[in-house]
Amino acid sequence: MNMINAIRKMAGKARIFAGLFLICIVLPSLASAFVDHLPEVGQVNDNNDVPIHVSTVAHFSENQVKEALIRRAKAVQDLWANFGNDDKNDVAKEDAAPVTPTPVDSTPTTTPVDPTPTPVDPTPNPGPVNPVPADPTPNPVPANNVPAGYPGATQGPPVAMGYGGAPITQNPSDQQTVPEQAGAAQNHPTPEEIKEQRKHAGLQVGFYDNTCPNAEKIIKDGMNRAFGNDSSMAAPIGRLLFHDCFVNGCDASILLDKTPSGARVEKLAPTNGATIRGFELIDEIKAELEAECPGIVSCSDLLVYLSRDAFVVSGVPHYDVPGGRRDGMESLEANVIGNLPLPDNTVDKMIDLFKKKGLTEEDLVVLIGAHSIGVAHCFSFRYRVDDPVKATMVDPRLAGVVKFACTTPMSTLAFDTTTQYKMDSIYYKQLSGKRALLESDALLNEDPRTKDFIQKFGDDENGWFIKFGKAMNKLTSIQVLTGDQGQIRKQCRFVN
């Protein structure tokens, strides 16, 4: 019995010894023999604990690893060098700068491209009563991307090239002889004549209360939708209004794509061209108005109300706007010349231009406050930091930003980088601190006739708001058509 127990104990010890031998000796040997033939495995990156899948485990010598790392580092360095060179030539995406112009295709099948992006509206608009045709006259951009009349512009005839490089469909007037007379040669009404005209203009607040009660609400809702989709849409509408009213009065002539005379229209002028937009929004709202009350609300009143709502949605308190304007039937590019202020104008030039429209030095400074929102194209101010004399009027920090951001003439910078989409008095404080982009704005802070107004409005925002509403109503009553003058357009781009 004792012998049997002893044998059992020895057998148990033998099994234990065999198991230890298998675990410690045999299995490790087998694992080392097959490690190079294991299938795909998941490894862990010590840096971020993200699994890395490796299909084959390869063995390299230390020298081979070093050579591979050196080759990889050189490839990365070359990649970044090429990326940097390409980036210098890239056009700023925000500005959608034009490409190098190419010859115009004169064949009648050429389709123009409208470059102005239309904000996506989550609220469907009713379909237009009369569908609006595509814009046949895209805005021209000269060969060096600087519109004529601006500093650095190339002298000579405008290049027939649309904004963004799209070819322009030939204007009917190109086959005619259209006299090019400077707008400055026009007979401007005197301030006294303008005041007299305003007394009998026939404009009144609530003009559409009986004929189209929802008109102002439809326009306001359209602006609110557009601003909700794209906060940058407010400033272009105000710019459109200013450029319309300063050329032969507030008659919506800037909205016309063509006229019966076939002459080149205002929107094609170099001082307009690629720097104006917002036409599609006006088309949409006009279609809604025509669906609500056909043939009642003029395009000129639509633009005036829409501009008020653009400033209000940007922070200006609501102010009443009189209506009753009618639409002009003519639009001439030649009339724009000399009637719009340029970014390098002197204070004397600007005061003289505003006085011809019945506006005072104070009105000039008040309306300049609209630059509290929006952007300026680099071709209108970059020259200031490149000129040693003019650069002394620019804050060095702003000069550094300009040099960094202005990679192309059509790149843009915000007038007021602090509150770019909000109408407030901060812009006047920036003028006082040599932080104005435009030379014409900066000069207002140097002239004794206008400097005090800048200081005043910078310290009194509410006072400026009140003045702004009044100045806008003065601006929008310049040489208006009323009564049976002009017409009420069915579509703002074309006369009836």
Side-chain angles (χ1 to χ4, degrees):
M1 190 69 178
N2 291 333
M3 180 64 69
I4 293 174
N5 290 335
I7 293 173
R8 287 178 177 174
K9 288 182 181 180
M10 291 179 65
K13 290 180 179 180
R15 286 195 297 270
I16 293 174
F17 177 81
L20 291 175
F21 179 82
L22 179 66
I23 293 173
C24 297
I25 304 300
V26 176
L27 289 181
S29 298
L30 291 174
S32 62
F34 288 96
V35 68
D36 289 346
H37 303 283
L38 288 176
E40 180 176 345
V41 297
Q43 294 183 342
V44 176
N45 186 326
D46 293 335
N47 293 327
N48 52 21
D49 295 332
V50 177
I52 301 173
H53 295 282
V54 182
S55 58
T56 304
V57 179
H59 297 281
F60 298 92
S61 67
E62 183 177 350
N63 290 335
Q64 288 177 312
V65 172
K66 288 182 179 180
E67 290 175 359
L69 291 176
I70 291 173
R71 287 195 300 271
R72 182 178 180 85
K74 186 177 185 304
V76 172
Q77 183 179 6
D78 293 342
L79 177 63
W80 278 106
N82 293 333
F83 178 81
N85 291 333
D86 292 339
D87 187 61
K88 293 179 182 177
N89 298 323
D90 282 344
V91 175
K93 294 181 181 179
E94 177 188 350
D95 196 56
V99 297
T100 302
T102 55
V104 176
D105 185 357
S106 59
T107 59
T109 58
T110 301
T111 302
V113 178
D114 191 340
T116 310
T118 303
V120 178
D121 188 353
T123 306
N125 293 323
V129 176
N130 299 308
V132 180
D135 184 352
T137 52
N139 299 327
V141 176
N144 68 340
N145 295 330
V146 180
Y150 289 96
T154 300
Q155 300 298 322
V159 177
M161 185 59 56
Y163 187 36
I168 292 179
T169 300
Q170 184 156 349
N171 192 296
S173 66
D174 291 344
Q175 300 176 0
Q176 306 175 18
T177 301
V178 180
E180 296 285 342
Q181 296 181 353
Q186 301 176 70
N187 294 322
H188 295 283
T190 65
E192 291 74 20
E193 291 174 337
I194 292 175
K195 290 178 182 178
E196 188 64 24
Q197 291 172 4
R198 285 172 179 161
K199 292 179 182 179
H200 307 285
L203 302 181
Q204 64 183 47
V205 175
F207 183 84
Y208 296 103
D209 285 352
N210 296 325
T211 56
C212 192
N214 291 326
E216 291 192 48
K217 181 180 185 302
I218 290 173
I219 296 170
K220 177 182 178 181
D221 290 347
M223 186 67 245
N224 288 343
R225 287 196 306 267
F227 187 81
N229 293 329
D230 181 2
S231 299
S232 71
M233 276 304 299
I237 299 301
R239 181 177 176 84
L240 271 179
L241 177 68
F242 184 87
H243 283 218
D244 180 50
C245 292
F246 257 55
V247 180
N248 289 342
C250 307
D251 61 353
S253 54
I254 197 171
L255 304 180
L256 289 172
D257 282 349
K258 63 180 181 180
T259 64
S261 71
R264 287 176 62 84
V265 293
E266 292 176 22
K267 65 167 59 175
L268 295 179
T271 45
N272 289 322
T275 68
I276 57 173
R277 63 188 181 98
F279 300 103
E280 288 77 11
L281 174 60
I282 293 172
D283 291 339
E284 294 172 9
I285 297 176
K286 177 60 173 175
E288 293 184 57
L289 291 170
E290 288 297 307
E292 177 79 11
C293 39
I296 299 297
V297 182
S298 67
C299 295
S300 51
D301 273 347
L302 163 57
L303 181 55
V304 171
Y305 287 132
L306 189 64
S307 297
R308 184 268 310 272
D309 295 330
F311 290 127
V312 169
V313 77
S314 301
V316 173
H318 177 87
Y319 58 93
D320 289 329
V321 171
R325 301 165 192 80
R326 289 172 67 85
D327 301 325
M329 301 173 64
E330 191 60 88
S331 178
L332 296 173
E333 177 185 15
N335 287 340
V336 178
I337 303 173
N339 276 310
L340 290 177
L342 296 175
D344 61 346
N345 277 165
T346 64
V347 177
D348 285 337
K349 177 68 175 178
M350 288 187 289
I351 289 178
D352 180 63
L353 182 58
F354 272 65
K355 281 188 174 181
K356 288 178 180 178
K357 310 301 179 182
L359 301 170
T360 65
E361 290 93 338
E362 183 179 29
D363 293 328
L364 164 61
V365 178
V366 168
L367 294 174
I368 285 295
H371 286 168
S372 176
I373 58 177
V375 299
H377 292 80
C378 288
F379 64 74
S380 63
F381 59 84
R382 170 63 199 252
Y383 69 94
R384 297 181 64 203
V385 300
D386 295 330
D387 185 314
V389 177
K390 295 182 184 294
T392 60
M393 294 181 59
V394 183
D395 183 299
R397 293 168 296 179
L398 175 61
V401 172
V402 169
K403 291 179 180 180
F404 176 80
C406 288
T407 56
T408 72
M410 292 301 293
S411 298
T412 60
L413 272 181
F415 283 111
D416 176 4
T417 55
T418 306
T419 54
Q420 180 179 352
Y421 305 110
K422 185 176 186 298
M423 287 283 286
D424 53 32
S425 62
I426 291 179
Y427 187 66
Y428 290 109
K429 296 183 181 297
Q430 292 180 336
L431 294 183
S432 300
K434 295 186 176 182
R435 294 193 297 276
L437 289 181
L438 302 185
E439 182 180 8
S440 55
D441 287 7
L443 291 174
L444 294 175
N445 189 57
E446 305 294 327
D447 194 285
R449 293 168 292 181
T450 53
K451 182 176 182 179
D452 290 343
F453 291 126
I454 290 176
Q455 183 66 44
K456 175 183 176 182
F457 298 141
D459 295 336
D460 183 10
E461 184 174 274
N462 290 331
W464 170 61
F465 282 152
I466 295 173
K467 294 278 188 180
F468 186 80
K470 293 180 179 179
M472 285 298 298
N473 280 334
K474 289 177 66 175
L475 169 69
T476 55
S477 63
I478 295 176
Q479 296 173 264
V480 296
L481 304 175
T482 59
D484 59 357
Q485 297 174 314
Q487 63 179 204
I488 305 297
R489 293 183 209 147
K490 296 178 182 179
Q491 297 178 9
C492 293
R493 293 176 184 260
F494 307 97
V495 299
N496 296 341

